[in-house]
Amino acid sequence: MFYNFNKIEEVKIRLRSAEGHICEVEESAALMSSFIRSMIEGFNEVTEVSLPNINSVVIEKVIEYMRHYKDKDPPIIKKPIISSKMEENTSAWDAGFIDADWNMVVDLMTAADYLMMIPLRDLCCAKMACKFKGRSIDELRAEYHIENEFPSEMEENLEFQHPWRLE
Amino acid sequence: MKSLNILSEIFSYLSYIDLSMCAKVSKLFNRVSKASSTWRREALRIATGNLIFYGRPLDQSGSSHFSIGSTDWKQNLLDFLNSKQNWLCIDFPNKSKDATNLFSEFINILKEPDIPFPVLRRDKKIYSTLFQEMLAYQESGPSLRLSTNALTESVIFELFKNHKNLEVEFATQVEISQLIIAKWNLRAKSEIVLRKMSIGALSSKSTAVSIDQESELMNIYFTFPLKNAKPVVLKLHRAIKCTISKYCQIALASILDYCDLAEQCNQYIIKWNAFCASMKELNAMYMSFNEAFNKVFKKKAEISPNGPQFSIMRLMALQWRRKVFDKFKDRLVEEALILIELSREKDMSQEFTYLLVKIVQSIVDMSINELSVHFINHSQFYSDGLYELLHEKIILETSKYYQNLVNLKPVEFLQKTNKDFKLIQRVFLKSTQNEIEKILTETKLEFCKKVSPEEAEKILYNESEVYPSRDNLEKKTSEDCMIEKHAHKAGFPLDSSPEERILYSMANDISPLEFEGIILNYELN
């Protein structure tokens, strides 16, 4: 008898966002998150997970990542990063995925941390590290609105401890 | 996740240059950067790289089994990279460009040496480690890496092409004293010592210097930054020594980073092998420097007979011994004794036997010198270093162990002693084997008093045709005669003079007093 395995509907997990929206994702993809995995394994037949501190835009983004890496391992980003452009540090897909505005990256990182998705968290961290790479002190201070907190004698000392300059 | 944790996670993706920028931005950034594991990773990345050890890449990334030590990795990294300053003050033909290139090539070779497979080496039958081979064949051929070091070799050759000009640079006695200190690796810091040193150097050149002038020299010496020292030989010596010494600090820290004693020893062996491979390459690259140094020394400060020649290899080995081996040697001996005891209690896996063999070999490496290496397989070999201590400890332990075996049944006694002696033969040098064989023979004779004559015969004639006796073991074997003959051809006697032993010793620092004694003694004769 002919039996088409593809026809079997995969179990879907419903993720409830902060706004109360429901986003559906296949169970196999959702297992990438250790948080969801422990929920499913801990309470049998859980199909809905409530994520009150993640908004639905971010959840959609997370689901996109989960689906892409459902069957394969995400690439590992080498430390230290070699460039301030993400394309040179990781795969093209990852670089395109994380190419979002700053707030999105921060939200994504918080979500990844909450959901315990280490590869996604690493990707976000690397993206943020790109912002620090190859920048001078003044550029960094200006960008993050930090005023010089160091008294001058301490600044000399700092200079002595970190004599390296950007080339 | 707290924001501090996130920040430290982000910082872990930065290189040391970017991290040092961040550290200067704000107090928060500074605090996070201080605790960052990045310094450790960067120090290892810059100084030790990813070693390929016998064809297998050595993974240093896993961090779960590391202890959180008190090592200041940032300072280590800083010291290592700062040693570049010493290179920059050398007057190369193409000044700073050459210096930068030479420095980065130098640290590249320390970081990623070509570690040769044991099978590819020349005399693996006689010398079991690369270091022993290097000592025995000092004028060894070119290093395995052929193309990449062309630059350094040509720059160094260019620098020392004209050896005549080099001596002219040694105008003052201070510089000659510095040359002597450099050549003999003296740790002459105290004033008295230095005065004596200067007198030594002066009297050998028979120039009279008054006390005032002498103390003036002393002042110059202590306030004299090497940047202003003229002789290029001294500058290069200082640059190399400084970089090596900082590298050794990182190597030691990375060894002590492991919690487990066996793993520490394993890491020590890997690092020492890698260091030896670097030594071989660098020595070949700086051959013209070695020659120039020896030539200048001969003209300017030759004061003693038959000292060892200066070489980068010797310099590196001594730095390693001071910075790493001296601080780690107790652990090596401890682990060796633990492993021996383990093998006596139960069967030991191949892996541990291999570790034991390697530990003992690395101790032997640091207990020999250019003279004694030729007699390493001699039954009356006497080392001047740590091996002697190990030798004594092993003999003590073994005689205790054999005494305990006397109460066993004949079959068991035979099995246990055979197994143990096989291990001893595999691990230790001939001289130790010989001593233990004597103990074994005595134990056997004692044991035979208690058993029947047939069994006694079986035990005593076990696998050999000669009836064992103490007298037989005291005699020189035919192998000993061969070794003596070979060494004699090369000009090395087994019984070197006490002066030579002091001068050649790599295991002990020459104390300046001893050194002075040798000089004066030589001049009287």
Side-chain angles (χ1 to χ4, degrees):
Chain A
M1 208 175 116
F2 184 71
Y3 198 92
N4 192 345
F5 284 93
N6 291 337
K7 286 274 160 105
I8 300 176
E9 275 288 307
E10 200 183 341
V11 180
K12 295 262 174 131
I13 304 289
R14 291 146 56 86
L15 302 178
R16 186 185 290 274
S17 72
E19 302 95 327
H21 288 298
I22 299 287
C23 309
E24 284 199 334
V25 61
E26 300 76 35
E27 188 181 350
S28 60
L31 288 179
M32 227 188 132
S33 148
S34 306
F35 177 76
I36 296 176
R37 179 191 288 270
S38 66
M39 291 288 271
I40 294 171
E41 284 169 1
F43 311 93
N44 281 337
E45 292 176 30
V46 164
T47 52
E48 189 174 306
V49 178
S50 177
L51 303 169
N53 44 7
I54 307 176
N55 66 43
S56 49
V57 185
V58 177
I59 288 186
E60 283 298 340
K61 192 88 178 156
V62 171
I63 288 174
E64 184 191 341
Y65 188 84
M66 283 172 163
R67 286 200 177 120
H68 185 78
Y69 285 115
K70 193 167 70 170
D71 306 315
K72 55 187 179 232
D73 287 337
I76 291 166
I77 303 167
K78 283 217 176 100
K79 295 177 182 181
I81 50 170
I82 48 169
S83 155
S84 56
K85 292 195 185 87
M86 265 321 255
E87 302 86 59
E88 290 168 34
N89 295 320
T90 183
S91 69
W93 191 89
D94 275 11
F97 174 82
I98 203 70
D99 186 21
D101 64 56
W102 182 251
N103 288 338
M104 184 65 189
V105 177
V106 174
D107 288 348
L108 206 53
M109 167 141 66
T110 322
D113 192 51
Y114 183 74
L115 291 168
M116 291 193 265
M117 292 170 68
I118 289 160
L120 180 58
R121 196 195 69 192
D122 288 351
L123 181 64
C124 297
C125 285
K127 171 75 184 173
M128 290 181 171
C130 285
K131 297 229 173 207
F132 293 118
K133 183 157 179 71
R135 296 295 196 77
S136 72
I137 305 168
D138 293 335
E139 280 171 353
L140 286 170
R141 279 185 188 150
E143 180 146 355
Y144 301 103
H145 311 294
I146 298 168
E147 290 193 10
N148 187 3
E149 300 168 333
F150 299 110
S152 61
E153 69 267 17
M154 198 174 162
E155 211 160 37
E156 264 172 43
N157 196 16
L158 278 176
E159 203 58 47
F160 181 71
Q161 288 169 357
H162 309 88
W164 302 292
R165 300 241 135 251
L166 294 170
E167 286 179 10
Chain B
M1 189 153 72
K2 300 238 175 66
S3 64
L4 283 184
N5 284 351
I6 288 193
L7 207 51
S8 108
E9 190 72 26
I10 294 169
F11 280 177
S12 76
Y13 283 90
L14 296 175
S15 69
Y16 66 94
I17 295 175
D18 289 308
L19 187 58
S20 72
M21 282 294 153
C22 288
K24 286 181 268 188
V25 168
S26 77
K27 282 183 177 168
L28 173 74
F29 278 25
N30 187 276
R31 204 162 73 227
V32 175
S33 80
K34 268 184 194 156
S36 178
S37 61
T38 307
W39 298 115
R40 176 181 177 278
R41 190 200 65 222
E42 290 287 283
L44 291 180
R45 184 173 69 92
I46 302 292
T48 58
N50 248 339
L51 290 174
I52 307 286
F53 196 61
Y54 295 157
R56 198 159 48 94
L58 204 68
D59 186 31
Q60 298 177 323
S61 59
S63 61
S64 55
H65 50 289
F66 291 126
S67 60
I68 300 156
S70 51
T71 311
D72 190 345
W73 285 103
K74 187 169 95 182
Q75 195 57 44
N76 277 345
L77 179 66
L78 190 73
D79 288 347
F80 186 60
L81 291 168
N82 273 355
S83 68
K84 186 179 175 182
Q85 296 308 322
N86 289 312
W87 293 81
L88 285 172
C89 61
I90 303 169
D91 314 303
F92 288 113
N94 204 342
K95 209 170 178 198
S96 66
K97 197 169 144 241
D98 277 347
T100 308
N101 285 342
L102 250 58
F103 177 70
S104 55
E105 196 160 56
F106 197 88
I107 63 175
N108 257 342
I109 287 173
L110 284 176
K111 183 168 116 176
E112 277 160 3
D114 277 347
I115 305 170
F117 276 92
V119 280
L120 295 176
R121 301 207 313 253
R122 191 162 31 176
D123 261 307
K124 66 185 171 71
K125 273 180 216 148
I126 305 176
Y127 300 111
S128 41
T129 67
L130 185 60
F131 184 65
Q132 291 167 18
E133 267 179 37
M134 276 192 282
L135 281 182
Y137 304 100
Q138 287 213 55
E139 289 81 32
S140 59
S143 67
L144 293 171
R145 197 183 300 206
L146 290 172
S147 53
T148 49
N149 58 24
L151 172 84
T152 303
E153 243 171 285
S154 63
V155 171
I156 296 292
F157 182 77
E158 201 62 29
L159 197 61
F160 295 115
K161 197 168 50 175
N162 195 350
H163 292 189
K164 272 179 201 160
N165 284 349
L166 296 173
E167 314 150 21
V168 178
E169 292 178 333
F170 285 86
T172 67
Q173 289 300 336
V174 179
E175 286 162 345
I176 294 175
S177 296
Q178 285 177 328
L179 184 68
I180 295 171
I181 292 173
K183 155 87 191 231
W184 297 103
N185 287 286
L186 297 179
R187 273 200 265 207
K189 284 278 160 65
S190 82
E191 200 171 324
I192 305 163
V193 163
L194 205 77
R195 182 158 59 230
K196 286 181 176 164
M197 290 280 319
S198 305
I199 293 168
L202 296 174
S203 64
S204 76
K205 293 286 148 204
S206 60
T207 32
V209 176
S210 71
I211 301 295
D212 289 344
Q213 275 173 306
E214 197 187 297
S215 58
E216 199 180 312
L217 287 180
M218 226 59 63
N219 288 336
I220 296 169
Y221 184 80
F222 284 111
T223 52
F224 201 57
L226 204 88
K227 267 183 208 159
N228 305 337
K230 271 189 209 131
V232 67
V233 173
L234 286 180
K235 283 186 189 171
L236 187 58
H237 177 274
R238 171 65 68 94
I240 291 170
K241 187 174 163 181
C242 190
T243 306
I244 296 288
S245 138
K246 302 306 176 201
Y247 169 84
C248 286
Q249 265 173 22
I250 293 184
L252 179 68
S254 72
I255 292 165
L256 294 177
D257 224 15
Y258 290 83
C259 307
D260 183 37
L261 182 61
E263 189 52 41
Q264 282 183 352
C265 292
N266 196 20
Q267 286 295 321
Y268 173 85
I269 288 153
I270 290 169
K271 294 269 150 54
W272 169 237
N273 269 279
F275 191 71
C276 287
S278 310
M279 219 187 271
K280 191 177 164 72
E281 268 181 69
L282 289 170
N283 201 43
M285 282 165 74
Y286 287 82
M287 203 48 107
S288 32
F289 171 54
N290 290 347
E291 283 165 15
F293 192 105
N294 283 315
K295 204 166 174 185
V296 169
F297 187 81
K298 202 170 175 191
K299 289 247 169 93
K300 279 291 176 188
E302 179 78 86
I303 34 180
S304 100
N306 299 330
Q309 292 285 296
F310 168 84
S311 66
I312 300 287
M313 183 192 83
R314 197 162 224 283
L315 174 68
M316 287 178 75
L318 283 167
Q319 280 301 313
W320 177 272
R321 205 256 300 137
R322 277 184 192 165
K323 298 277 170 185
V324 186
F325 184 74
D326 279 354
K327 292 181 177 130
F328 195 69
K329 59 186 181 184
D330 298 341
R331 290 169 201 244
L332 283 174
V333 174
E334 190 188 333
E335 178 67 15
L337 292 174
I338 289 173
L339 287 173
I340 288 276
E341 205 183 314
L342 211 69
S343 79
R344 284 171 178 168
E345 276 167 16
K346 55 184 181 195
D347 282 329
M348 208 163 51
S349 70
Q350 275 298 314
E351 199 185 325
F352 280 111
T353 317
Y354 182 74
L355 181 63
L356 179 60
V357 171
K358 286 286 175 192
I359 288 174
V360 174
Q361 276 176 1
S362 66
I363 292 175
V364 172
D365 280 352
M366 289 275 97
S367 311
I368 51 173
N369 55 51
E370 292 93 333
L371 287 183
S372 57
V373 67
H374 297 274
F375 300 98
I376 204 162
N377 294 318
H378 195 282
S379 64
Q380 271 136 43
F381 171 76
Y382 183 85
S383 75
D384 62 348
L386 186 68
Y387 184 76
E388 218 46 41
L389 181 81
L390 184 69
H391 171 87
E392 274 158 28
K393 282 196 174 174
I394 282 299
I395 286 175
L396 200 72
E397 293 287 315
T398 309
S399 59
K400 268 190 220 158
Y401 174 69
Y402 286 172
Q403 277 304 314
N404 288 337
L405 294 182
V406 172
N407 302 324
L408 293 175
K409 284 179 189 153
V411 183
E412 250 182 299
F413 174 78
L414 208 56
Q415 260 180 4
K416 290 225 168 187
T417 49
N418 272 349
K419 187 191 136 205
D420 195 66
F421 192 62
K422 269 193 187 130
L423 185 76
I424 299 280
Q425 276 180 318
R426 199 178 150 193
V427 174
F428 291 98
L429 291 183
K430 195 81 188 169
S431 54
T432 313
Q433 293 171 23
N434 236 29
E435 284 300 315
I436 289 178
E437 205 174 346
K438 283 180 203 165
I439 298 168
L440 182 62
T441 312
E442 274 169 15
T443 319
K444 277 182 178 173
L445 288 172
E446 194 182 321
F447 188 78
C448 290
K449 286 177 196 155
K450 308 194 302 179
V451 295
S452 66
E454 293 86 39
E455 273 172 330
E457 196 169 310
K458 208 170 130 196
I459 288 167
L460 290 174
Y461 281 102
N462 168 52
E463 286 173 17
S464 83
E465 271 133 49
V466 197
Y467 186 81
S469 78
R470 225 194 146 99
D471 289 345
N472 275 349
L473 289 166
E474 297 284 359
K475 279 182 201 153
K476 271 187 197 171
T477 63
S478 57
E479 285 155 35
D480 286 349
C481 296
M482 283 291 284
I483 291 168
E484 279 173 33
K485 212 171 127 192
H486 269 283
H488 186 72
K489 254 191 215 163
F492 299 105
L494 177 61
D495 45 351
S496 44
S497 69
E499 287 84 20
E500 274 181 326
R501 246 177 255 160
I502 295 168
L503 291 180
Y504 271 95
S505 174
M506 284 207 181
N508 303 306
D509 286 319
I510 316 172
S511 85
L513 277 179
E514 269 177 314
F515 184 71
E516 193 200 16
I518 291 168
I519 297 166
L520 292 177
N521 203 12
Y522 178 67
E523 276 170 8
L524 283 177
N525 295 334

